[in-house]
Amino acid sequence: MPLPINIKELIHGRTVEWERIEFKKGWNPIRVLHTVCAFANDINNWGGGYIIIGIEENKGRPVLPPKGVPLNQIDTIQKELLNLCNRIRLPYFPKISPVEFQSNTILAIWVPSGPARPYEAPEILSKGAPYYSYIRRFSSTVKANSEERKELLALSNRIPFDDQVNHHADLTDLNITLIKQFLKEIKSALL
């Protein structure tokens, strides 16, 4: 499934705040797992975040052109991410999309806010590892302290406005012309 956002604008920070983007030079399973957990917990209720694998960062900014992800590793990474996400309590699955960017393939992982917060991930990948809730603080993924965990529990009862279902809406309320115009404007692959 294509991302609902223009990848060029995302990488250059024009459409999403920098605190909601994490650049990874390469595949680092435990760090990606913790960041998925943090974006799913979405303590600031911003709508989650994006993890971009294949782009190095320097002081929070992308180093371009991207290094990319070798094509022969993409399927392996996706399968490993599936297994990792099953280890999150409650299991949580982000959206992942291989994307061509500046002549290289990168992996864009979109992690919307999860509906069953707080989520927990193992500290390390060995059996019997302790589980913690992870959150984003500024541009870092950190373990939630007891007060932040209480805040996550309180947030679990509130669904962000953008994610709320309107039970009185009808399919005829959607204007396909406006939707296409918007998708064209942001240069989304969904168009």
Side-chain angles (χ1 to χ4, degrees):
M1 175 182 149
L3 295 174
I5 194 165
N6 180 290
I7 195 72
K8 291 175 192 158
E9 292 189 14
L10 173 68
I11 289 170
H12 293 295
R14 293 188 196 117
T15 53
V16 173
E17 300 86 358
W18 285 106
E19 293 178 20
R20 295 179 54 208
I21 303 173
E22 181 84 10
F23 295 104
K24 303 279 187 199
K25 179 180 178 180
W27 175 240
N28 184 329
I30 194 66
R31 291 182 146 232
V32 170
L33 178 64
H34 292 166
T35 304
V36 166
C37 182
F39 283 143
N41 278 328
D42 194 19
I43 196 161
N44 294 313
N45 241 6
W46 286 344
Y50 296 85
I51 303 167
I52 309 295
I53 299 173
I55 296 181
E56 190 173 1
E57 65 93 12
N58 183 11
K59 298 181 182 173
R61 306 297 283 189
V63 175
L64 300 174
K67 178 184 177 194
V69 177
L71 291 175
N72 64 351
Q73 291 182 12
I74 290 176
D75 189 54
T76 303
I77 290 171
Q78 291 183 76
K79 287 176 181 172
E80 192 171 349
L81 182 62
L82 172 67
N83 290 329
L84 290 171
C85 290
N86 269 309
R87 295 188 67 180
I88 295 175
R89 293 182 186 157
L90 298 166
Y92 174 91
F93 303 96
K95 315 296 185 238
I96 186 168
S97 182
V99 178
E100 285 299 315
F101 181 71
Q102 295 185 352
S103 302
N104 285 296
T105 301
I106 59 173
L107 281 177
I109 303 171
W110 174 35
V111 188
S113 303
R117 295 178 269 192
Y119 293 95
E120 296 179 320
E123 182 177 33
I124 56 175
L125 294 178
S126 62
K127 282 194 174 198
Y131 275 68
Y132 296 98
S133 289
Y134 290 86
I135 59 170
R136 291 291 284 187
R137 282 293 178 219
F138 307 111
S139 60
S140 297
T141 297
V142 298
K143 291 178 189 172
N145 63 33
S146 60
E147 286 303 309
E148 291 161 336
R149 183 137 169 79
K150 287 177 190 172
E151 190 176 337
L152 287 172
L153 285 168
L155 282 172
S156 67
N157 294 328
R158 285 185 261 147
I159 300 172
F161 175 79
D162 292 351
D163 295 334
Q164 292 179 19
V165 175
N166 182 346
H167 295 285
H168 304 291
D170 188 62
L171 195 57
T172 58
D173 294 332
L174 298 176
N175 183 329
I176 193 68
T177 305
L178 288 176
I179 294 169
K180 285 182 176 180
Q181 180 182 346
F182 173 74
L183 292 174
K184 184 177 180 181
E185 216 172 273
I186 66 166
K187 298 178 177 95
S188 172
L190 290 174
L191 182 62

